[in-house]
Amino acid sequence: MKLTFKKKKSLNRIIRKISFISIVILIIFILVASNEITHHKVAITAQPLNGCLSNDSLICTDTSKETISEPFIPNPKLNHQQRFLSAIARNLTTIPQPGTYEYILLRAYGAVFVNQDIGMKLPPKHIFANEQETQDFQATLTMGHVDGSKDCYLQKSAAEALNKARSLQRIPLKSGYGSGDCTRTFNTNLRFWYKYANNQVLAKVKAGKETKILGLVAPPGTSQHLWGLAIDLRVGSQEQRKALNQNGWFQTVENDIPHWTYVGLSEENLPLFGFNKQVVRGITYWITPL
């Protein structure tokens, strides 16, 4: 009986030790798990904010949770200008300061920089210095042919969207057939500029003293046509406009009636990205809020 009692006592001691060790292991496991959860949350929520801009106020866009397949949606609590800037900051490495020549051009032609189409390429800057810079950029583009044209090419996504619109409505090119309506060379942009303006006018534009000319012709190296994202069309009916709008094409340069820009957004989303609707002589333009 004594031997049995000793064995039982020893067994009970072993059981208590095992129970204690189990409890310790369980506590350690809970602490580790809790620590992992905490760190996981920090990894998600404490990422540095990217794309912070300084204008009248600080604008920050948290891109830590974005992937290339997830479309960007501006914060609706921001004002129009802040929403627009937060969107284009994803595509432009630097945002020019207000009052500069670059800012004036961004205000006039910067609509394309909100584009969410991952198959499309945007220029790293919005002023090309010469033909070589323009050709170097254009050589990296994937182009698509505009149906029914002789030699009209746009970036593939823009061409496909335009072809869909033109399958719904007959929408002629401004010239009827040619490349001058579509993607242009630097020299073509230059030739158009000197057809309507000169160096004195360009100096006034750079000084911020002349802006109306930008609704007629783009200064050298600044046209959306250089990027394969604009086309000149002959549009006269609401049905034509509706077909273009449904496929991401809008008039974004005020008073340039034949000029259409591939923005790649639906019309209902344009205000969300900061665009201002402006109706001039019965034509609806979507203007940047700069």
Side-chain angles (χ1 to χ4, degrees), residues 1-14:
M1 286 294 293
K2 285 185 180 180
L3 185 59
T4 302
F5 175 78
K6 287 182 179 179
K7 284 184 179 181
K8 285 184 179 180
K9 189 175 181 180
S10 177
L11 183 60
N12 288 335
R13 192 181 297 116
I14 292 171

Side-chain angles (χ1 to χ4, degrees), residues 16-151:
R16 285 196 299 272
K17 285 183 179 180
I18 292 174
S19 298
F20 175 78
I21 292 171
S22 298
I23 291 170
V24 170
I25 291 172
L26 180 60
I27 292 171
I28 292 172
F29 176 80
I30 292 171
L31 288 173
V32 170
S34 174
N35 194 43
E36 285 179 355
I37 291 171
T38 302
H39 280 285
H40 180 63
K41 285 183 178 178
V42 169
I44 292 175
T45 60
Q47 290 287 344
L49 294 175
N50 299 319
C52 293
L53 310 174
S54 178
N55 193 19
D56 293 330
S57 59
L58 185 66
I59 306 166
C60 294
T61 303
D62 184 357
T63 58
S64 61
K65 302 177 202 174
E66 297 170 15
T67 67
I68 195 168
S69 61
E70 294 176 349
F72 172 75
I73 300 175
N75 184 347
K77 294 181 180 179
L78 300 175
N79 64 37
H80 277 63
Q81 187 181 75
Q82 291 170 336
R83 293 200 298 273
F84 181 77
L85 289 173
S86 68
I88 68 173
R90 293 158 46 83
N91 296 316
L92 278 175
T93 53
T94 58
I95 304 297
Q97 290 298 310
T100 62
Y101 177 50
E102 291 79 6
Y103 189 87
I104 291 168
L105 295 173
L106 185 64
R107 181 173 59 215
Y109 309 131
V112 297
F113 289 101
V114 305
N115 206 300
Q116 302 290 297
D117 191 334
I118 61 174
M120 192 196 67
K121 185 167 185 178
L122 292 165
K125 56 183 181 178
H126 52 287
I127 305 175
F128 288 132
N130 49 47
E131 185 68 67
Q132 188 59 56
E133 270 195 6
T134 305
Q135 289 182 7
D136 289 345
F137 171 72
Q138 291 179 349
T140 67
L141 303 179
T142 301
M143 307 299 284
H145 183 252
V146 174
D147 294 345
S149 70
K150 180 182 177 182
D151 54 1

Side-chain angles (χ1 to χ4, degrees), residues 146-165:
V146 174
D147 294 345
S149 70
K150 180 182 177 182
D151 54 1
C152 177
Y153 290 87
L154 300 168
Q155 287 202 42
K156 188 172 184 292
S157 296
E160 289 175 348
L162 182 65
N163 288 336
K164 287 180 182 178

Side-chain angles (χ1 to χ4, degrees), residues 176-195:
Y177 66 92
S179 61
D181 297 314
C182 312
T183 302
R184 296 173 182 167
T185 66
F186 179 91
N187 288 332
T188 299
N189 180 196
L190 189 65
R191 177 167 55 84
F192 282 156
W193 173 258
Y194 285 114
K195 180 180 178 180

